[in-house]
Amino acid sequence: MTSQELQGMASWTEWVPLISADPPSSPGVYLARQRAGGPVVYVGVGAGARQGGGLHRVRCTPGELGETVVPAAVGLIRKIAPEETGGDDDASCRAKGEPGVAAGTVPSSGVPPQIAAAFEDLERHGRVHAPTTSVLGAFHTLLGDRVLERTALLAEQLCSADPGVRYDAIRMAKELIGQWRGDHSGLVVLIAGCLLPEDAYTSAAAAEALGALVPVSEPAREALAAYVEACRAEHGPGVWAARERLVRRAYQEAVRALAGLRDLRALPCVLEALDEDTDAWRAVQVAGHLGGAAGDLTPRLSKLLAGVDFSDASQSMSANALVSALRELGDPAAAPALTTAIVAAVREEQWHTAASALKALASFGREAAFALDVVGPLADAQDVTVRAAATAALWELEGDAAGVVPRLVELLDTHENDEAAAVLGQIGQAAAPALPRLRKMMAAGYEWTRVYAATALWDIGGDAEAPAVVGTLLTAWAENDATSNHVLACLSRMGPAARPALPRVREELTLLRRSGRFHGVPHDEELQSACRSITARA
């Protein structure tokens, strides 16, 4: 269709251009809404592609999208040459996308580096590198749950000759994998194919996406390891702190993604970051995944925790990240450092950090019993969060049910009732005095309260409580699917007693959209695994 024919349609179509600034007087990509007969999308591309494809039309009603729409779009993408969109090479893509990349930035004084990085991420998220991105995004929106067709479209985008199209496809692929279930291994491999040492800008986006998609990003493991090794070979072992901002970010994201897969090939890079203290906070965030190297990591993380100034509230994010990493590593050698941190945090009234450190200390059980002199008094702390964490720690460190159950029952009347209920469930039958209060909690208006109460009720009362527990869990799940991971964990422990929940469990496995806590990939994968395990046993 010629430009003149496009102009002739202006009398009956309202045009919204996606490349040109004016209604269609020249070849370009446009979104058009027909005034009569329902909305219509028209896609016209540059001269080269127009010779092979011309103008393509798709109604903006997903149910009416024909089977030829995606093949037509794929054909157009194949014919879009970089010179038609201005993305003539990787260098231009980088220059347009990341101004001043060589200079780097230093966070303002008093601003935690995590906060500064979050704002940088937000700024990057809004960038568009190819003029076709908007219309391709519209296609994906229209296709909705047609995951196979969207995957085919994204595969073509990720293989495009235009670096801008490839770059923007990384984000789109990440969103598809993050929102919809299915076999995404092919897309993951294509994202990993964007890890090119000569293009740090695109590599950083690819590595960041793969890190966010753990554990689905498993097929990219070897590509990530190869990229990390290539960077070290080209830039030396100090590449984590490279002066060129793009190289540094790409390498760090690749290391973090590799660590997220619990691959010990990331360890030398993480240790360098912790030792040199350059962007160490990025390494801390993933150090906990490398449990096989706890002997190397625990002393370093403990030293960093000892250096935290708890009187400075801006350091609380770093403190909590260190505590979380030490807890995940599970090495009791961290107990002394955590105990010292608890004392310092309480002294400075950093209650959230003190509670987090108490929970980490509790995870070591009897091996942290030497800290009872610090933990014991905190079970009477004024701050309820600290009081609940300290009471839970008392149970783990000394195992005296008679001493902690009354305290936990009292905590059921506070905003920490979920923590208290969880510990009562861990105690089991010895926590029977809590049963009346837990049954009352099952009528609470807040679904999370009901879930924790029902879970504890089963763990303490067993089969006699099963009917009420299953009913409560299913109702809460229906009200808020974010509770599903907790619900499935309890149903899994219940075994045959959970049989009435099987229809809902089987239904969950038929859903296409991701679910679970925060609708995150790890939580949803865990959820599906639990559902499959329950149905298999049934």
Side-chain angles (χ1 to χ4, degrees):
M1 183 171 288
T2 65
S3 297
Q4 288 75 20
E5 289 173 312
L6 290 173
Q7 286 179 304
M9 296 170 63
S11 61
W12 58 276
T13 304
E14 178 186 3
W15 291 92
V16 181
L18 294 180
I19 289 183
S20 302
D22 302 308
S25 57
S26 60
V29 178
Y30 305 94
L31 176 67
R33 295 191 297 272
Q34 188 175 340
R35 289 197 178 101
V40 178
V41 172
Y42 287 92
V43 184
V45 295
R50 205 164 36 81
Q51 292 173 359
L55 188 74
H56 289 259
R57 183 181 70 178
V58 194
R59 285 195 175 275
C60 294
T61 305
E64 297 180 7
L65 293 178
E67 295 181 0
T68 62
V69 171
V70 172
V74 167
L76 289 173
I77 293 172
R78 289 175 179 171
K79 294 179 180 181
I80 295 175
E83 59 268 18
E84 292 180 322
T85 62
D88 52 346
D89 56 28
D90 290 343
S92 72
C93 180
R94 293 196 301 270
K96 294 174 184 176
E98 188 96 1
V101 294
T105 58
V106 177
S108 302
S109 177
V111 177
Q114 300 93 323
I115 299 297
F119 277 100
E120 289 181 7
D121 289 342
L122 285 173
E123 193 278 328
R124 273 192 295 269
H125 184 76
R127 295 177 187 163
V128 175
H129 301 77
T132 53
T133 295
S134 296
V135 74
L136 288 170
F139 265 120
H140 283 289
T141 299
L142 292 173
L143 288 168
D145 63 0
R146 293 163 63 167
V147 176
L148 291 179
E149 291 172 283
R150 293 181 64 185
T151 298
L153 183 59
L154 279 166
E156 201 61 42
Q157 292 174 242
L158 288 166
C159 296
S160 171
D162 189 323
V165 172
R166 291 197 305 273
Y167 187 98
D168 290 346
I170 293 172
R171 174 182 54 79
M172 292 186 190
K174 173 186 170 184
E175 291 175 354
L176 176 74
I177 298 171
Q179 294 172 3
W180 300 94
R181 296 170 176 171
D183 180 4
H184 299 298
S185 56
L187 282 183
V188 168
V189 170
L190 289 175
I191 294 173
C194 295
L195 294 168
L196 302 172
E198 66 273 15
D199 182 5
Y201 182 62
T202 303
S203 295
E208 183 181 20
L210 293 169
L213 295 173
V214 171
V216 177
S217 55
E218 173 62 35
R221 179 188 294 269
E222 295 306 317
L224 285 165
Y227 181 81
V228 168
E229 183 59 33
C231 287
R232 290 173 69 86
E234 180 177 351
H235 300 284
V239 61
W240 179 277
R243 290 191 61 187
E244 188 178 350
R245 184 180 173 192
L246 278 180
V247 171
R248 184 171 75 243
R249 188 170 85 86
Y251 177 77
Q252 290 180 0
E253 292 294 352
V255 169
R256 284 157 53 86
L258 194 60
L261 293 170
R262 304 186 184 278
D263 194 310
L264 288 178
R265 285 175 287 186
L267 180 62
C269 321
V270 171
L271 294 180
E272 283 176 16
L274 297 178
D275 289 340
E276 299 299 326
D277 200 23
T278 299
D279 291 341
W281 65 273
R282 291 186 180 272
V284 170
Q285 289 181 336
V286 298
H289 301 317
L290 302 174
D296 292 314
L297 290 165
T298 298
R300 289 172 167 85
L301 295 172
S302 297
K303 181 179 178 182
L304 289 174
L305 183 60
V308 171
D309 180 3
F310 287 92
S311 67
D312 181 0
S314 69
Q315 296 190 35
S316 62
M317 293 181 68
S318 296
N320 283 302
L322 287 163
V323 167
S324 178
L326 288 169
R327 180 179 183 179
E328 190 173 0
L329 286 174
D331 185 354
L338 288 167
T339 304
T340 301
I342 291 167
V343 173
V346 170
R347 182 179 62 246
E348 301 297 337
E349 298 186 355
Q350 297 289 336
W351 306 123
H352 178 71
T353 303
S356 296
L358 280 163
K359 293 175 183 179
L361 188 68
S363 68
F364 303 137
R366 303 297 174 86
E367 293 186 78
F370 70 88
L372 280 169
D373 289 344
V374 170
V375 174
L378 294 177
D380 295 312
Q382 180 179 2
D383 183 83
V384 176
T385 301
V386 171
R387 190 160 78 239
T391 303
L394 283 178
W395 163 248
E396 297 291 351
L397 270 55
E398 62 180 357
D400 179 13
V404 299
V405 168
R407 292 177 177 273
L408 292 168
V409 172
E410 289 181 8
L411 286 165
L412 293 177
D413 292 320
T414 71
H415 66 267
E416 290 295 330
N417 51 15
D418 55 347
E419 174 80 12
V423 179
L424 287 166
Q426 293 169 19
I427 294 172
Q429 293 182 353
L435 287 175
R437 182 67 187 88
L438 290 170
R439 294 190 187 105
K440 183 178 179 181
M441 283 175 61
M442 294 245 287
Y446 185 38
E447 66 275 3
W448 276 104
T449 299
R450 301 199 303 272
V451 166
Y452 278 101
T455 299
L457 201 60
W458 164 258
D459 291 332
I460 298 168
D463 287 339
E465 307 290 345
V469 168
V470 172
T472 298
L473 292 176
L474 290 178
T475 300
W477 188 1
E479 292 179 14
N480 182 0
D481 66 2
T483 64
S484 54
N485 290 94
H486 285 73
V487 169
L488 267 295
C490 183
L491 293 176
S492 184
R493 293 198 301 275
M494 293 179 72
R499 189 169 288 113
L502 281 175
R504 177 63 183 90
V505 174
R506 292 193 177 104
E507 178 191 359
E508 179 63 33
L509 289 173
T510 68
L511 302 180
L512 294 176
R513 188 176 286 276
R514 291 199 182 277
S515 184
R517 193 82 185 271
F518 306 122
H519 288 190
V521 173
H523 291 296
D524 181 65
E525 292 294 313
E526 177 186 287
L527 174 66
Q528 294 181 69
S529 178
C531 287
R532 287 190 290 266
S533 176
I534 291 171
T535 55
R537 289 201 306 271

